Amino acid sequence: MTSVTEASTLSSAEAMRARRKARLAHALNRTAATLQIVGLGWLSPLLRMAAGDSPRQQGQELWQQMGVPLTALMLFLAAWAWLAPQVNTSLGAIPGPAQVWEQVGVLHADHQAERAKEAAFYDRQAKRNAELLAKDPAAEVKTRPYAGKPTYLDQIVTSLKTVFTGFLLGALIAVPLGVACGLSRTVNAAMNPLIQIFKPVSPLAWLPLVTMVVSATVSSDNPTFEKSFLTSAVTVTLCSLWPTLINTAVGVSSIDKDLMNVGKVLQLSGPTMVRRLVLPSALPYIFTGLRLSLGVGWMVLIAAEMLAQNPGLGKFVWDEFQNGSSNSLARIMVAVFTIGLIGFLLDRVMLAFQAAVSHTGTR
């Protein structure tokens, strides 16, 4: 009898361990999927190793996820440091990694110094206004805005605001049009020639037209948005909406016809069918288009800012090119790496947003 009881107890304990192990594996799988989306997939092998998985297998996975990319990056930096001094330009030799990193610190110090000047400027105004009000409580005081030059970080913020504005405007246009094209052959036939004509147009061709239209329609007397901002944002919209429109149309047109027939049998209204059936089914295609559009918009924005001399990273690159100082090349390379890094982060943001609103097998 005792043997039977002990066997039953052992069996129950093993079952509990198996359930705990299964729950842990499920949690690790969900965590790994999330880390992969945000670009931290190399943490997954470390978590699995800490949870007791095979150290050898997880070590190989860690090498694949982290070791190989780091090795490639180190080789790239070594080749850059070796080749850069051998290439001479009118501004001197191409800067190596050390010189570029040094300019990162200089640009950050410039930003901090400019913010200190701004704070001192407003402090002086506040002190002067307080003195005026102390002498005459009815005195009219004014606070003038700080007119200092924008720093490198300010240019980054300006570019991000502009690209998101243009991207959102493009998405608001492209998604409804794509749904209409996917649902109606007539609409698709009408829109297809326009898409094929305007999709290849360069931002350098759109920019003069947009500049003239914005200048003619937007008042210069304290406008809600600055003309330079609107010019860049509209140019981004015109160049970035096409991938979203095309992918949305393809996704909607490829929806299972049986699913659409079910909606008709249930007598769903048009808006309800679009909201409940069409959009959820086409969501992967829509997000693919949105990710492509955001990448295109980011590239277009830099070119538009350079050509039109609108505030942002593009203007920073052009100003440094025109400046021609001994540090200009290094600062341009800082901007190049910044543009690439921000482009990567924007894509990760869209991928994370897609995972948050889409159904996957891991959640």
Side-chain angles (χ1 to χ4, degrees), residues 85-109:
Q86 304 180 37
V87 180
N88 289 305
T89 69
S90 58
L91 299 180
I94 295 293
Q99 291 88 345
V100 172
W101 181 251
E102 179 185 358
Q103 288 306 309
V104 172
V106 171
L107 290 170
H108 183 258

Side-chain angles (χ1 to χ4, degrees), residues 147-289:
K149 65 177 182 179
T151 65
Y152 184 66
L153 294 181
D154 295 333
Q155 303 278 37
I156 293 175
V157 172
T158 299
S159 291
L160 287 175
K161 289 180 180 177
T162 307
V163 76
F164 273 116
T165 301
F167 167 72
L168 290 175
L169 286 174
L172 290 175
I173 296 170
V175 172
L177 279 179
V179 171
C181 290
L183 291 176
S184 171
R185 294 179 60 187
T186 302
V187 174
N188 185 63
M191 289 296 301
N192 189 58
L194 299 176
I195 294 172
Q196 300 306 322
I197 290 173
F198 291 120
K199 181 169 66 70
V201 177
S202 167
L204 303 183
W206 281 120
L207 191 58
L209 295 174
V210 173
T211 302
M212 289 188 289
V213 171
V214 170
S215 298
T217 55
V218 177
S219 172
S220 59
D221 299 330
N222 296 322
T224 305
F225 298 103
E226 295 182 1
K227 289 183 180 181
S228 58
F229 173 82
L230 285 177
T231 300
S232 297
V234 173
T235 304
V236 169
T237 298
L238 291 173
C239 296
S240 67
L241 62 87
W242 309 112
T244 299
L245 197 160
I246 294 170
N247 277 272
T248 301
V250 171
V252 171
S253 63
S254 62
I255 295 174
D256 191 350
K257 301 304 178 185
D258 292 337
L259 186 63
M260 301 299 292
N261 291 333
V262 169
K264 294 177 182 178
V265 169
L266 296 175
Q267 297 182 348
L268 299 179
S269 64
T272 302
M273 186 175 294
V274 170
R275 188 175 67 255
R276 297 291 183 86
L277 298 180
V278 174
L279 289 179
S281 300
L283 211 55
Y285 287 89
I286 294 174
F287 270 102
T288 298

Side-chain angles (χ1 to χ4, degrees), residues 91 320-329 331:
L91 299 180
E320 289 297 331
F321 175 72
Q322 294 293 325
N323 183 24
S325 70
S326 58
N327 296 323
S328 291
L329 281 178
R331 294 192 174 198

Side-chain angles (χ1 to χ4, degrees), residues 283-284 287-288 291 349-359 363:
L283 211 55
F287 270 102
T288 298
R291 290 174 63 190
V349 168
M350 286 302 303
L351 191 60
F353 186 59
Q354 177 180 359
V357 302
S358 304
H359 176 76
R363 65 180 190 85

